[in-house]
């Protein structure tokens, strides 16, 4: 089961491909060596017979055929087993002297394969030449040194390529089985996670190699997915819980209307109440949807340059009536010419939520201020009040969906306002800081300088 | 007005169609994108009310197709897709207004009226006049019975919008969107405050009231009958 899988792995195929390539280059290398060696050995054999031939030609020239025959016979007596072999023929190819079978001369140098020569046999290098019209001298030398060399090279090539192939195959298997083991560990962990154990993580081997990096990324992805899933689970529980209250109220109103309403005016009033209740429920849904949409980050595509100063002035104008109604004093200190790359509607909604919170949760007679300042870290929008504030222990919780501080449970609101603020801030890479206003709450919205262009007008921008 | 309602949910479609008919409009309806496109190309309508999620050709593509065919019939998107970028993509595709479901019928009917009687080219109009109230868009000056009235910038924008839609009901949401450029509900009575401030400047001491409150719907600026 494992072997075919091993053979199918990409690393194994890669190793084989490399082995093939390597084998081809070895083949070419050996070919070149073979060719060069052959050339060299043939050259030295030719040189040996050439010098012998010249010597014998000299003997012939000085002493004629008789002297040559004598010379040949004496040489053959001295070294009967070679390596030199001779033949003297007449024009009709009749042997006069020597140990070679009669043959017809062709080219000057050529190879001759002799089969009957003792146990050895094998090929011979031959030189032919005419000494006179009737005297043809043939000098040969055993070429088995050359054959031995050929054999040696071929054997070396055989062993070499054999070992290479075995190494490549074995190495590929080893490498692939290592890779397979790692991948198997990852897919096993993935299967366990798929089966429902979301707390499970893929083991890291501390090798700090690409596998560990991959595993680290996968684990980080799993962390993110797990936290998102938990949020989703939490949110659906919260929705079920928090919608129960307004739905219960709606049901009570409808029931009361059915029991008590007599005149059409009473019916109308009851219906209006119910519509208001439904609208409140729909607003909760709307806020949840908006938060989800903003958190998914799709809204970031609509960023444009926003005149923050103008937006804040508008919002101050919009919230003034609320402060007035609540008997609160409301002041602003907005620097002119502040600009941001942002979504105007979302930023507006964010600051509106903070202002609304301040006004809703501060008692009558409180003071609320909307101000801005520019520092090296960016543009900061500050909403401060001297209302009840948020206790330190609650500050990290107030951004959670549906979270409401106990003492504000009676006040109207969905508990989604600050979650929306948080989501919008994150989309804009802004930070929301809750601080003490001694007494009261100070909300700082810090837009990093990165996203803010051309601060403070006055001198540079004269619009 | 002759209106085509493009909506696949039968109950919503009936609610819209019947309401508009009661308000005196001539209404046709279509339930799919393809049907809507054919009808809108064959007949001349004063307004299309388009749901974005309809079977066949979806709302956005329908409106793009109509605009590509040089049909400039005003389009009101009426949709459950209420995200900021949904609104932007709707208006980019060629929609003239965007109303998110669920909606109050008074809101829909006010917006229908505003779209239907929208002057095709506002650039040539310099002076808006209702009864004895005059607003000059170039000099940004306001007079009633010839007497100059001093308005804050926001009050001026509010009055200009009311006068551009004279005789029509204008809702609080429409005012927030067009006068304050806020596409969310700030839960304050800023509109009421400004309207009452405007009233005290424009109506007080000048005889017949021009700015009227329409209960449960909004405001209406109109000449006395």
């Amino acid at each position: 089961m494992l072997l075919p899988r091993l053979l199918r792995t990409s690393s194994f195929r890669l190793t084989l491909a490399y082995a093939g390539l390597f084998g081809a280059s070895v083949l070419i290398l050996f070919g070149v060596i073979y060719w060069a060696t052959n050339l060299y050995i043939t050259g030295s054999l030719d040189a040996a017979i050439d010098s012998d031939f010249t010597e014998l030609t000299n003997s012939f020239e000085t002493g004629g055929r008789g002297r040559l025959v004598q010379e040949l016979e004496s040489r053959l007596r001295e070294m009967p087993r070679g390596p030199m072999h001779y033949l003297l023929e007449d024009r009709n190819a009749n042997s006069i002297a020597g140990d070679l079978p009669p043959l017809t001369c062709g080219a000057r140098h050529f190879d001759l394969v002799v089969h009957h020569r003792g146990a050895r046999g094998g090929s011979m290098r031959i030189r032919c030449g005419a000494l006179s019209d009737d005297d043809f001298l043939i000098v040969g030398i055993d070429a088995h040194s050359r054959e031995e060399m050929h054999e040696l090279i071929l054997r070396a090539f055989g062993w070499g390529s054999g070992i290479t192939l075995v190494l490549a195959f074995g190495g590929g298997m080893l490498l692939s089985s290592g890779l397979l083991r790692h991948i198997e560990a990852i897919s096993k962990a993935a299967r366990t996670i798929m089966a429902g154990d979301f707390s499970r993580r893929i083991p890291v081997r501390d090798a700090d190699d690409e596998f560990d990096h991959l595993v680290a990324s996968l684990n980080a992805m799993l962390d993110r997915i797990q936290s998102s899933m938990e949020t989703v689970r939490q949110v659906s529980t919260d929705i079920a819980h928090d919608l129960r209250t307004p739905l219960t109220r709606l049901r009570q109103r409808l029931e009361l209307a059915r029991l008590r309403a007599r005149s059409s005016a009473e019916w109308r009033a009851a219906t209006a109440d119910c519509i208001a209740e439904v609208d409140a429920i729909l607003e909760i849904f709307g806020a949840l949807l908006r938060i989800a949409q903003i958190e998914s980050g799709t809204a970031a595509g609509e960023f444009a340059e926003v005149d923050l100063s103008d937006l804040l002035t508008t919002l101050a104008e919009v919230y003034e009536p609320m402060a007035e109604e609540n008997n609160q004093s409301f002041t602003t200190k907005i620097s002119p010419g502040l600009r941001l790359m942002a979504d105007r509607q979302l930023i507006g909604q964010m600051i509106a939520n903070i202002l609304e919170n301040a006004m809703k949760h501060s008692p009558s007679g409180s003071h609320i201020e909307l101000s801005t300042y520019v520092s090296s870290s960016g543009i900061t929008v500050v909403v401060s009040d001297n209302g009840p504030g948020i206790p330190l222990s609650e500050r990290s919780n107030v951004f959670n969906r549906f979270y409401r501080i106990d003492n504000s449970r009676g006040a109207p609101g969905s508990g989604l306002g600050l979650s929306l603020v948080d989501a919008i801030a994150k989309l804009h890479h802004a930070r929301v800081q809750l601080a003490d206003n001694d007494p009261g709450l100070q909300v700082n919205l810090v837009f990093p300088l990165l996203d803010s262009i051309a601060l403070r007008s006055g001198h540079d921008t004269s619009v | 007005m002759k209106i085509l309602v493009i909506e696949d949910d039968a109950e919503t479609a009936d609610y819209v169609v019947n309401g508009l008919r009661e308000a005196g409009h001539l209404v046709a309806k279509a339930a799919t994108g393809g049907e809507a496109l054919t009808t809108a190309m064959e007949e001349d309508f004063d307004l299309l009310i388009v749901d974005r999620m309809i079977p066949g050709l979806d709302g956005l593509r329908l409106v793009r197709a109509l605009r590509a065919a040089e049909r400039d019939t005003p389009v009101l998107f009426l949709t459950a897709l209420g995200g900021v970028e949904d609104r932007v993509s709707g208006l980019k595709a060629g929609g003239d207004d965007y109303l998110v479901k669920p909606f109050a019928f008074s809101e829909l009917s006010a917006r229908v009226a505003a779209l239907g009687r929208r002057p095709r080219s506002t650039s040539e109009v310099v002076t808006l006049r209702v009864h004895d109230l005059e607003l000059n868009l170039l000099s940004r000056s306001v007079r009633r019975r010839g007497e100059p009235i001093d308005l804050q910038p926001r009050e001026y924008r509010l009055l200009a919008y009311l006068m551009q839609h004279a005789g029509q009901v204008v809702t609080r949401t429409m005012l927030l969107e067009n006068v304050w450029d806020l596409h969310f509900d700030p839960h304050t009575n800023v509109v009421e405050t400004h309207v009452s401030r405007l009233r005290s400047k424009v109506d007080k001491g000048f005889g017949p009231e021009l700015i009227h409150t329409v209960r449960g719907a909004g405001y209406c600026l109109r000449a006395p009958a």
Side-chain angles (χ1 to χ4, degrees):
Chain A
M1 195 57 217
L2 185 67
L3 189 71
R5 275 195 64 193
L6 214 57
L7 299 186
R8 272 201 316 270
T9 58
S10 55
S11 56
F12 187 77
R13 281 185 212 158
L14 203 65
T15 322
L16 270 195
Y18 269 109
L21 200 69
F22 189 68
S25 43
V26 166
L27 190 69
I28 292 168
L29 187 70
F30 271 96
V32 170
I33 290 173
Y34 186 92
W35 175 74
T37 324
N38 191 39
L39 207 65
Y40 172 75
I41 293 174
T42 309
S44 50
L45 291 177
D46 284 353
I49 50 178
D50 280 355
S51 82
D52 230 18
F53 196 91
T54 316
E55 250 174 62
L56 293 170
T57 309
N58 285 341
S59 300
F60 180 82
E61 271 161 14
T62 51
R65 181 188 277 188
R67 172 84 186 271
L68 182 59
V69 169
Q70 228 173 13
E71 178 73 39
L72 290 178
E73 275 168 1
S74 102
R75 285 188 182 206
L76 286 170
R77 233 183 350 263
E78 272 169 39
M79 290 187 290
R81 307 187 67 85
M84 303 306 289
H85 305 277
Y86 306 98
L87 181 66
L88 186 65
E89 292 180 323
D90 64 13
R91 80 163 72 85
N92 298 320
N94 294 317
S95 169
I96 300 165
D99 62 343
L100 287 172
L103 50 93
T104 320
C105 279
R108 211 169 116 97
H109 287 113
F110 60 93
D111 291 318
L112 178 71
V113 181
V114 185
H115 291 290
H116 64 97
R117 284 188 47 78
R120 264 242 181 82
S123 79
M124 196 181 278
R125 190 75 185 158
I126 296 288
R127 160 130 193 220
C128 276
L131 301 178
S132 73
D133 288 345
D134 203 24
D135 296 277
F136 293 90
L137 177 64
I138 295 152
V139 178
I141 184 166
D142 287 332
H144 51 77
S145 65
R146 193 175 63 176
E147 273 152 38
E148 277 165 14
M149 190 57 78
H150 286 172
E151 223 167 273
L152 200 69
I153 291 173
L154 284 177
R155 209 175 305 138
F157 173 69
W159 278 106
S161 44
I163 290 170
T164 309
L165 270 181
V166 167
L167 277 181
F169 218 75
M173 299 263 256
L174 215 65
L175 202 69
S176 309
S177 69
L179 288 179
L180 261 187
R181 222 177 26 248
H182 297 156
I183 289 173
E184 195 51 49
I186 294 174
S187 38
K188 210 168 124 195
R191 278 194 299 272
T192 325
I193 293 163
M194 274 191 293
D197 182 4
F198 257 92
S199 56
R200 174 76 190 268
R201 290 294 173 269
I202 305 162
V204 185
R205 297 166 310 137
D206 286 326
D208 198 33
D209 57 3
E210 66 273 26
F211 267 100
D212 274 1
H213 297 168
L214 174 67
V215 167
S217 308
L218 288 174
N219 281 342
M221 181 178 84
L222 287 170
D223 287 346
R224 183 88 173 81
I225 292 174
Q226 193 186 9
S227 92
S228 312
M229 277 180 47
E230 235 124 70
T231 313
V232 169
R233 200 171 311 160
Q234 186 61 41
V235 166
S236 26
T237 318
D238 288 343
I239 292 174
H241 245 264
D242 278 72
L243 284 181
R244 210 167 264 266
T245 317
L247 283 171
T248 309
R249 274 203 302 263
L250 178 61
R251 194 180 188 289
Q252 285 161 355
R253 288 196 175 168
L254 286 169
E255 199 160 352
L256 278 178
R258 191 178 60 182
L259 288 175
R260 307 254 169 84
R262 296 277 173 266
S263 65
S264 67
E266 275 173 8
W267 273 111
R268 198 167 296 135
T271 330
D273 281 353
C274 290
I275 289 177
E277 204 66 69
V278 170
D279 283 345
I281 295 169
L282 286 170
E283 190 157 340
I284 292 177
F285 272 119
L288 278 170
L289 267 176
R290 249 190 325 274
I291 293 172
Q293 221 174 10
I294 292 163
E295 280 180 346
S296 75
T298 44
E302 299 300 339
F303 276 20
E305 200 182 296
V306 173
D307 185 340
L308 184 64
S309 305
D310 173 70
L311 178 61
L312 291 174
T313 312
T314 304
L315 287 171
E317 180 191 305
V318 167
Y319 278 91
E320 216 176 65
M322 190 184 259
E324 222 164 275
E325 206 172 288
N326 295 355
N327 256 324
Q328 295 155 333
S329 63
F330 179 41
T331 54
T332 59
K333 278 183 201 154
I334 301 166
S335 324
L338 298 175
R339 284 167 195 285
L340 285 178
M341 281 308 283
D343 184 307
R344 188 177 188 274
Q345 296 306 325
L346 292 179
I347 293 276
Q349 172 107 63
M350 167 163 72
I351 297 162
N353 279 5
I354 296 171
L355 282 171
E356 192 177 333
N357 269 348
M359 290 178 183
K360 230 163 48 183
H361 297 300
S362 302
S364 98
S366 331
H367 176 69
I368 290 135
E369 185 171 82
L370 171 65
S371 58
T372 62
Y373 67 87
V374 179
S375 68
S376 57
S377 57
I379 299 176
T380 306
V381 177
V382 187
V383 177
S384 55
D385 64 59
N386 52 8
I390 298 177
L392 207 58
S393 57
E394 304 267 24
R395 282 191 195 154
S396 56
N397 293 328
V398 291
F399 294 109
N400 294 342
R401 288 181 181 82
F402 296 114
Y403 189 85
R404 307 194 60 190
I405 301 172
D406 282 338
N407 63 20
S408 76
R409 285 220 169 260
S414 59
L416 289 172
L418 282 177
S419 311
L420 190 61
V421 167
D422 190 43
I424 296 174
K426 277 185 182 138
L427 185 73
H428 288 83
H429 305 292
R431 287 195 309 279
V432 191
Q433 295 163 342
L434 302 180
D436 245 315
N437 200 32
D438 283 324
L441 180 69
Q442 190 185 69
V443 183
N444 293 297
L445 278 175
V446 188
F447 295 94
L449 215 46
L450 188 77
D451 300 318
S452 42
I453 342 158
L455 317 170
R456 305 197 142 265
S457 69
H459 344 282
D460 41 345
T461 37
S462 51
V463 195
Chain B
M1 275 167 77
K2 195 175 166 192
I3 302 172
L4 177 62
V5 175
I6 301 147
E7 166 69 62
D8 63 320
D9 179 62
E11 201 168 330
T12 310
D14 286 345
Y15 172 65
V16 173
V17 169
N18 292 337
L20 290 173
R21 278 186 186 143
E22 273 167 35
H25 299 290
L26 201 62
V27 191
K29 64 177 170 179
T32 68
E35 187 189 338
L37 188 61
T38 328
T39 319
M41 292 298 287
E42 279 170 1
E43 293 173 53
D44 236 355
F45 289 95
D46 299 312
L47 175 69
L48 307 179
I49 297 178
V50 182
D51 181 13
R52 275 189 54 174
M53 291 183 290
I54 40 172
L57 202 63
D58 73 68
L60 276 190
R61 281 164 54 205
L62 167 70
V63 173
R64 276 195 210 111
L66 281 172
R67 294 295 183 248
E70 294 185 351
R71 285 281 166 146
D72 59 355
T73 318
V75 167
L76 168 69
F77 278 111
L78 185 61
T79 168
L81 297 173
V84 174
E85 70 277 11
D86 294 325
R87 177 190 302 275
V88 173
S89 62
L91 298 184
K92 263 188 196 158
D96 298 272
D97 200 358
Y98 202 98
L99 185 58
V100 177
K101 289 179 192 168
F103 56 93
F105 196 82
S106 56
E107 188 71 42
L108 176 69
S109 113
R111 283 169 193 261
V112 165
L115 281 173
R117 268 169 270 167
R118 193 148 80 166
R120 287 297 149 102
S121 59
T122 42
S123 56
E124 292 151 30
V125 183
V126 174
T127 311
L128 300 171
R129 197 172 285 116
V130 177
H131 191 53
D132 52 1
L133 178 65
E134 245 181 59
L135 182 142
N136 187 305
L137 289 167
L138 283 183
S139 63
R140 299 184 146 248
S141 60
V142 178
R143 286 165 185 277
R144 184 154 184 197
R145 256 194 249 150
E147 259 179 65
I149 297 173
D150 192 28
L151 294 181
Q152 298 291 313
R154 189 76 63 194
E155 292 161 355
Y156 168 81
R157 282 178 67 179
L158 178 58
L159 182 63
Y161 188 79
L162 286 170
M163 287 181 80
Q164 272 157 357
H165 297 88
Q168 301 168 18
V169 177
V170 166
T171 65
R172 180 174 172 274
T173 323
M174 285 163 82
L175 291 174
L176 278 170
E177 284 177 10
N178 292 290
V179 179
W180 278 268
D181 189 20
L182 296 179
H183 291 265
F184 57 90
D185 186 354
H187 303 123
T188 77
N189 47 16
V190 63
V191 176
E192 293 78 349
T193 317
H194 273 76
V195 170
S196 87
R197 230 183 271 169
L198 188 64
R199 250 186 203 138
S200 71
K201 291 186 179 176
V202 171
D203 275 345
K204 220 171 193 176
F206 283 111
E209 275 188 7
L210 300 180
I211 303 171
H212 301 268
T213 303
V214 184
R215 273 205 57 194
Y219 304 94
C220 178
L221 188 145
R222 61 169 181 262

